[in-house]
Amino acid sequence: GVRIAGRSEPRSRVELLDGGSPTGSAVADSSGAFEIASVTLAEGLHELAAYAVDAAGNRSTLSLPNDVAVDLSAPAAPLIESPFEGEIETDDVSVVGSAEALSTVRLLDAGAVVGSVVASADGRFAFPSAPYTPGLHELTAVATDAGGWASAPSAPRHFRVSALSADSPAEAVGGKFEVLAVSDAPDPADPVVGETATFVAVVRVDT
């Protein structure tokens, strides 16, 4: 339950209203302090207000309303939309997806935190392009809402960073290998989530 506390006329009876409906009461002490130890409120937004009744039965005006948001559940797991599953990257990687609106999204690579961003009001998030080390990466994301509830991790997204790029020629005996292009798609026979990976490159040999 939710604890409600405040001040009123000493020894008066305080009636608490939720959206105009009675939801609890307490008697103020000699200093005017009152407390309702536990009020059951459903998940969602509530407008709480109170009035006091003195020993003679006189009722006060209604207090100013207080808006209270009750959050009792964790958000759904985020969805990583890019990079694509099994993609091979040769440049900086940007990660985008969706999560609960205004939640804080933490990005993890094989369990290690990469960074965090706040999802927009329409539930979109994006991590700026950043370099990743060559090799296999497994990204997951976790969303934490304003109430401190953390979601389950997202479905993992695997991608591989190749050390080979169109801007990095390699020397070879008898001539020079110049990389002209590297495919963005893995070989369909390559499981990607393993110890090795293959990629397709177009090269020119000068001898």
Side-chain angles (χ1 to χ4, degrees), residues 44-55:
L45 186 64
H46 298 263
E47 184 181 82
L48 302 181
Y51 64 86
V53 180
D54 64 18

Side-chain angles (χ1 to χ4, degrees), residues 88 135-136 160 186-187 189-199:
I88 293 179
L136 179 66
R160 186 176 291 276
D187 186 328
D190 180 18
V192 175
V193 187
E195 296 180 356
T196 61
T198 59
F199 52 82

Side-chain angles (χ1 to χ4, degrees), residues 12-79:
S12 62
R13 186 180 81 254
V14 178
E15 297 289 344
L16 179 69
L17 306 177
D18 178 12
S21 300
T23 191
S25 64
V27 175
D29 63 19
S30 59
S31 69
F34 71 87
E35 177 182 327
I36 304 174
S38 182
V39 176
T40 301
L41 299 176
E43 185 164 21
L45 186 64
H46 298 263
E47 184 181 82
L48 302 181
Y51 64 86
V53 180
D54 64 18
N58 300 307
R59 173 175 165 168
S60 73
T61 57
L62 200 61
S63 70
L64 292 174
N66 281 275
D67 292 331
V68 176
V70 178
D71 183 3
L72 302 174
S73 57
L79 173 65

Side-chain angles (χ1 to χ4, degrees), residues 107-130:
L107 182 66
L108 301 97
D109 183 5
V113 176
V114 174
S116 65
V117 295
V118 176
S120 63
D122 61 355
R124 305 297 301 170
F125 69 83
F127 287 84
S129 290

Side-chain angles (χ1 to χ4, degrees), residues 78 80 95 99 103-109 111-119 125 127 139-144 150-154:
I80 297 175
V95 180
S103 62
T104 298
V105 181
R106 284 187 304 133
L107 182 66
L108 301 97
D109 183 5
V113 176
V114 174
S116 65
V117 295
V118 176
F125 69 83
F127 287 84
L139 298 181
T140 54
V142 175
T144 302
S151 74
S154 67

